[in-house]
Amino acid sequence: MESDFEKSVRLFLAHPPFRYRNVPAEALALFCEALTHDSYTNEHGGESYERLEFLGDTVLEFTVCEAVYRDTDLREGAMTDFKQDKVANHRISERILAYGMDLDGAMRVGGGHRNPDGSNIINENMRADSMEAILAAIYLSYGMDEVRRVVSEVLMTELPEPADEPAPADAE
């Protein structure tokens, strides 16, 4: 029998950008872990999102690098700047909020991250770290193409115009 948290994670995953229905038990366990902050595990045991975040950080960076390489003609320095902007915690957090994803409400946190009304207190680093862990769970459960789709929909809403890049000095 599923816990209330597992049921809430299933509901969260049923909405955009995920739209996942009938999530297998193994994948659900990964998504539950991806939505569990260490403040919760410090109080109740279990696994937090930290291991998944480690993998998700790299999966996200690769996805952004691949997109900027494939979809623009930017030079290396501008590509690096673009990637750094897209994978910065404040930018990930900003895009999640702009998208309208209720990641904050879906997360499981300890008592120190709860308001008196029971709502979660989530900062931008927690939000971004959990999203990276979710990307790892997507990668492990559904593959890289699905990661690309979610990253594109939530985090890569625009790519820079190639005309914005000055020609290299040696091209003159």
Side-chain angles (χ1 to χ4, degrees):
M1 186 154 149
E2 286 187 346
S3 69
D4 288 343
F5 180 64
E6 289 168 322
K7 290 175 187 174
S8 71
V9 171
R10 279 194 187 279
L11 184 60
F12 174 73
L13 294 173
H15 290 93
F18 313 110
R19 302 172 191 91
Y20 302 148
R21 308 257 192 289
N22 303 316
V23 176
E26 308 82 44
L28 182 62
L30 289 173
F31 286 109
C32 287
E33 189 176 311
L35 289 162
T36 301
H37 187 255
D38 62 354
S39 63
Y40 181 88
T41 61
N42 288 341
E43 295 173 10
H44 303 280
E47 293 294 324
S48 75
Y49 59 60
E50 291 177 338
R51 281 182 45 84
L52 284 169
E53 176 202 349
F54 173 82
L55 176 60
D57 178 65
T58 299
V59 169
L60 174 60
E61 284 201 20
F62 173 78
T63 304
V64 172
C65 288
E66 179 185 50
V68 73
Y69 181 86
R70 181 189 61 235
D71 298 336
T72 75
D73 62 356
L74 296 176
R75 307 285 300 162
E76 188 273 336
M79 290 169 67
T80 299
D81 293 343
F82 180 85
K83 179 202 59 149
Q84 290 303 106
D85 178 63
K86 291 296 182 186
V87 303
N89 280 355
H90 74 276
R91 182 70 68 217
I92 296 168
S93 178
E94 178 182 273
R95 294 304 313 146
I96 290 166
L97 294 172
Y99 187 86
M101 184 189 318
D102 186 22
L103 185 63
D104 293 17
M107 287 181 68
R108 182 165 52 176
V109 296
H113 288 280
R114 310 274 303 173
N115 282 311
D117 67 2
S119 63
N120 292 343
I121 303 169
I122 307 296
N123 65 43
E124 69 182 16
N125 290 333
M126 293 166 64
R127 188 177 301 115
D129 292 348
S130 183
M131 184 65 188
E132 290 172 348
I134 289 169
L135 293 174
I138 293 169
Y139 171 72
L140 294 169
S141 302
Y142 298 109
M144 200 63 193
D145 286 341
E146 186 61 14
V147 170
R148 287 180 185 102
R149 183 191 67 78
V150 171
V151 167
S152 176
E153 187 171 328
V154 178
L155 303 175
M156 300 281 292
T157 55
E158 75 284 336
L159 286 170
E161 292 297 320
D164 293 342
E165 178 72 13
D170 61 346
E172 294 176 273

